[in-house]
């Protein structure tokens, strides 16, 4: 490494004192003065004016690629709690009291709020991630199962399993501004960047497509008992777990048609797409494993054993870990998708289902 040296003699070089009769300073004193002068010069360098005719230069700012804290929030459907985990430490760090039988969890785009569907309270709890405390409770229709924000963060869409409807909540005003009838037994929701939302109708072999104004735009036929649903980061594909068919339907959002069908074990539930869009991770609830699917090849490339009756699936922002909730084991599995193995099995509350990972 090249060290900064000012013009003139380097530190430690012997020189004659310019004033006779005054004793020369010690070597230690010279070193101290050298370090002080060097530090002062380095501090002043950014403030020096640019040379004439040359454009000013800016000191580059190196921003972190990922946030300092990434948390996982797990809805424990057999209780009234939301378990919180630090995904970097891979450990549980607390719990939040919400409504009765929380099932689905969604996270705001900015990571500042988590939305929890409380299926037996007919409410959605807003949880602030800064202090991990509830900040609002919004009544919705009967048996809400999922709560998912739109990509712009302005609204939360709630799948009301017991009302065959979707409630639209204004995030700013924290109240329901519309209730939209969809298919029978709406289960889960995903949204894409243009504002369109896709709702699985568990009792109807269909997915309802809602436009950005939450109007029913069309209905797409899929497999038996559609449940979990996710979309790629760029919104180019939507993936629907057909629990009764053992498949995943792949929807092209530009045409709202099924363009592929992927094998997905015996009873697929939650699913999530890798950040690069190449892999799909699916919880096979009947065989207690996480399926890793190569999307382009349309085949399962790995089965990773997890706990009993896996439900929800979520991925860390860097794609390096997959988290799976195990309903009948009261646990969460943390998986390395590249090594294709479970790294840790962490305790959860009673009957964990939904999971969301957020940068807060």
């Amino acid at each position: 490494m090249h060290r900064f040296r000012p013009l003139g003699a380097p530190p430690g070089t012997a020189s004659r004192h310019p004033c006779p009769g005054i004793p020369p300073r010690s070597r230690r004193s010279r070193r101290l003065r050298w370090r002080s002068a060097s530090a002062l010069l380095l501090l002043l360098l950014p403030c020096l004016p640019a040379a004439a005719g040359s454009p000013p230069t800016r000191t580059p700012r190196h921003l972190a690629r990922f946030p300092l804290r990434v948390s996982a929030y797990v809805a424990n459907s057999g209780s009234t709690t939301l378990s919180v985990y630090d995904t970097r430490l891979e450990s549980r760090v607390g719990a939040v009291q919400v409504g009765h039988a929380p099932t689905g969890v969604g996270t705001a785009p900015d990571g500042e709020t988590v939305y929890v569907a409380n299926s037996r309270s007919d409410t959605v709890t807003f949880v602030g991630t800064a202090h991990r405390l509830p900040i609002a409770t919004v009544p919705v229709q009967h048996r809400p199962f999922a709560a998912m924000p739109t990509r712009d963060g302005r609204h939360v869409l709630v799948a009301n399993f017991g009302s065959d409807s979707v409630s639209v909540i204004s995030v700013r005003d924290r109240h329901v501004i519309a209730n939209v009838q969809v298919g029978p037994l709406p289960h889960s929701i995903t949204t894409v960047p243009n504002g369109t939302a896709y709702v699985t109708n568990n009792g109807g072999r269909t997915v309802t497509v809602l436009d950005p104004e939450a109007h029913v735009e069309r209905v797409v036929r899929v497999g038996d008992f559609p449940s979990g649903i996710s979309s790629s980061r760029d919104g180019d594909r939507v993936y629907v777990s057909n629990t009764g068919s053992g498949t995943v339907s792949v929807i092209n959002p530009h045409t709202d048609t099924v363009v592929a069908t992927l094998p997905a074990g015996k009873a697929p539930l939650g699913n999530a797409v890798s950040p690069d869009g190449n892999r799909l991770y699916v919880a096979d609830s009947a065989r207690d494993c996480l399926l890793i699917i190569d999307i382009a090849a349309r085949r399962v490339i790995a089965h990773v054993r997890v706990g009993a009756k896996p439900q929800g699936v979520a991925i860390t922002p860097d794609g390096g870990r997959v988290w799976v909730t195990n309903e009948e084991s009261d646990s969460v599995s943390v998986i390395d998708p590249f090594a294709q193995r479970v790294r840790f099995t962490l305790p959860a509350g009673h009957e964990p289902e939904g999971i969301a990972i957020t940068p807060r």
Side-chain angles (χ1 to χ4, degrees):
M1 179 183 295
H2 295 287
R3 298 183 181 275
F4 178 84
R5 295 182 183 275
L7 296 176
T13 302
S15 61
R16 295 181 179 178
H17 202 283
C19 300
I22 300 177
R25 292 185 177 89
S26 68
R27 182 176 299 176
R28 181 173 180 273
S29 175
R30 289 197 301 271
R31 281 202 300 267
L32 289 174
R33 288 173 58 82
W34 163 261
R35 290 172 183 169
S36 299
S38 299
L40 181 60
L41 183 57
L42 288 173
L43 286 173
L44 291 175
L45 277 176
C47 302
L48 295 176
S54 62
T57 58
R58 292 183 178 179
T59 303
R61 296 181 61 191
H62 299 286
L63 301 178
R65 180 173 295 181
F66 299 110
L68 294 177
R69 185 174 74 180
V70 179
S71 301
Y73 290 81
V74 172
N76 302 306
S77 64
S79 69
T80 59
T81 64
L82 190 68
S83 295
V84 187
Y85 302 82
D86 186 315
T87 66
R88 299 262 172 92
L89 300 176
E90 297 181 326
S91 63
R92 187 165 62 173
V93 294
V96 182
Q97 286 291 321
V98 289
H100 290 280
T103 48
V105 188
T107 176
D110 60 9
E112 293 184 359
T113 313
V114 165
Y115 309 104
V116 187
N118 306 305
S119 64
R120 292 185 184 173
S121 296
D122 295 344
T123 59
V124 170
T125 300
F126 286 37
V127 176
T129 57
H131 302 289
R132 297 171 180 154
L133 292 172
I135 55 177
T137 300
V138 180
V140 291
Q141 294 194 324
H142 190 46
R143 296 295 296 274
F145 193 86
M148 181 62 61
T150 54
R151 293 283 184 104
D152 62 10
R154 295 173 54 207
H155 302 102
V156 177
L157 306 178
V158 184
N160 299 306
F161 193 84
S163 300
D164 298 343
S165 66
V166 168
S167 294
V168 182
I169 300 175
S170 166
V171 169
R172 184 185 63 184
D173 300 329
R174 297 177 183 172
H175 70 260
V176 173
I177 58 174
N179 288 296
V180 183
Q181 290 301 121
V182 291
L185 308 180
H187 187 283
S188 297
I189 301 173
T190 193
T191 59
V192 295
N194 70 358
T196 303
Y198 294 80
V199 185
T200 56
N201 301 308
N202 195 244
R205 301 188 65 185
T206 59
V207 170
T208 298
V209 183
L210 302 178
D211 69 16
E213 301 302 318
H215 301 135
V216 175
E217 196 167 59
R218 61 182 56 87
V219 174
V220 181
R221 295 283 296 179
V222 290
D224 294 334
F225 306 120
S227 54
I229 189 169
S230 67
S231 53
S232 57
R233 183 174 289 178
D234 60 7
D236 193 53
R237 289 291 184 269
V238 171
Y239 299 91
V240 180
S241 292
N242 303 307
T243 307
S245 301
T247 60
V248 169
S249 296
V250 183
I251 297 174
N252 180 344
H254 304 292
T255 61
D256 286 333
T257 58
V258 174
V259 294
T261 301
L262 308 177
K266 189 174 181 181
L269 282 174
N271 72 60
V273 196
S274 63
D276 61 11
N278 293 330
R279 289 180 170 188
L280 185 70
Y281 303 104
V282 182
D284 187 344
S285 62
R287 294 178 176 169
D288 299 340
C289 66
L290 177 75
L291 306 177
I292 302 178
I293 299 174
D294 184 314
I295 294 173
R298 299 185 183 183
R299 65 184 183 90
V300 177
I301 59 174
H303 298 73
V304 181
R305 295 288 298 182
V306 291
K309 202 174 181 181
Q311 296 281 318
V313 181
I315 306 173
T316 54
D318 63 358
R321 296 290 181 266
V322 180
W323 287 58
V324 180
T325 60
N326 306 305
E327 184 182 27
E328 291 187 356
S329 297
D330 291 350
S331 67
V332 177
S333 298
V334 183
I335 297 160
D336 181 335
F338 304 105
Q340 300 176 0
R341 66 179 181 87
V342 174
R343 284 177 48 82
F344 296 102
T345 299
L346 305 176
H350 189 41
E351 298 178 351
E353 286 200 38
I355 180 170
I357 291 178
T358 179
R360 286 290 188 277

